[in-house]
Amino acid sequence: MRSEEQLNLLLRLGRVRWGLLVAAVCLMVIGLATVHSASSELAIDYLPRQAAWIGIGLVLLLVAFSIDYQLLIAFAWPLYGLSIASLLLILVVGQEAGGARSWFGLGGFGGQPAEFAKLATALILARYLANANLRRLSVPQTLAAIGLTAAPMLLIAAERDLGSAAMFVPLAGGMLVVAGLSWRVLVTGLVIALIVVGLVWTFAMYDYQKQRVLTFLNPESDPLGAGYQLKQSKIAVGSGEFLGRGYMQGTQSQLRFLPARHTDFVLAVLAEEWGFLGIAVVLFLYAVYFFNGAEIALRAQDRAGVLLVIGLLSAFGFHVLYNTSMVIGLVPITGIPLPLLSYGGSFMVANLIAIGLILGVDFRRHVNR
């Protein structure tokens, strides 16, 4: 009997879409090399720290994979409550970095509860929407889901981290559309969103945040101030041409012209060193990741599993889309890192936990129906 169970386990493992994990590992290896190059001229080489965070994240990936996601969804309310409590605590004892008060710090390490709040929000929305109307969401159901999403968003916005707050929109949006969002409600929501954006611009955004948007619209208005980051990023991307300057040979990173080069603008460093070919490889790996994830969502057998995968993929995909657009000046600069490449402990760990959850849905697709 035991041998039959072991054989069944091996068969189930063999049917999992491991291409997603392979693509993620390849991206992390590229990220480690690029972070090392980008930080080699800084006071701290961030390679060992990034490697340590990846190690922690891989352990938690295995934990997330080994736990039935249905059990995590069953405990979604306590997990969601803990995430809200941690965001409230940040407002009291959090540390400030990059203009945002969004960090817990201990020694040289720190963490952002906002990243784990995304996971908790994905779990609570998967639980709520899985039990909602199976054909089309009603207006009260839609408003309830929006309320669950808005609570952590508003707390993160209060920490001045508008970039992280904005990432809850694609996460919830993807899940709502798949759950049966009415097009009439969607159009109404877009109109309301435009009004909210206007109110946020007028009453909630700080001057430095407004300046980022104005610089995006006219980068030459302040080339040595707010426009400096974008200008240097474009120089780095353009100078890489087709094959790049070579590893650790980029002038923008090695001569310290490009700020935030190991975090939000790590792609600009990669573009300068490896050129168009290097960027094409990275985008191909992201495509492999995304399409494997989409396949997992399509063949999941339960509504909660489908919604959970869609939410996590939507947030991941929007991170990639926004960051790659940001480094070439197509969207305003915000603190949105590139998944699996940018330096960042809590962001890396949260992404790896998400991978464990997605693979867990695929592994149990014939069990949880």
Side-chain angles (χ1 to χ4, degrees), residues 13 23 97 103 107 158 164 176 186 204 236 259 282 303 309 348 351:
L13 285 171
W103 290 80
S164 293
L176 284 169
L186 178 60
V282 167
R303 185 174 168 86
V309 174
M348 177 65 74
N351 273 291

Side-chain angles (χ1 to χ4, degrees), residues 257-292:
F257 289 117
L258 179 64
R261 53 191 173 272
H262 63 298
T263 53
D264 300 343
F265 283 81
V266 71
L267 190 69
V269 176
L270 191 142
E272 186 179 24
E273 294 183 348
W274 299 106
F276 173 82
L277 187 61
I279 295 297
V281 170
V282 167
L283 293 180
F284 171 76
L285 290 171
Y286 278 125
V288 171
Y289 180 103
F290 189 81
F291 284 112
N292 274 269

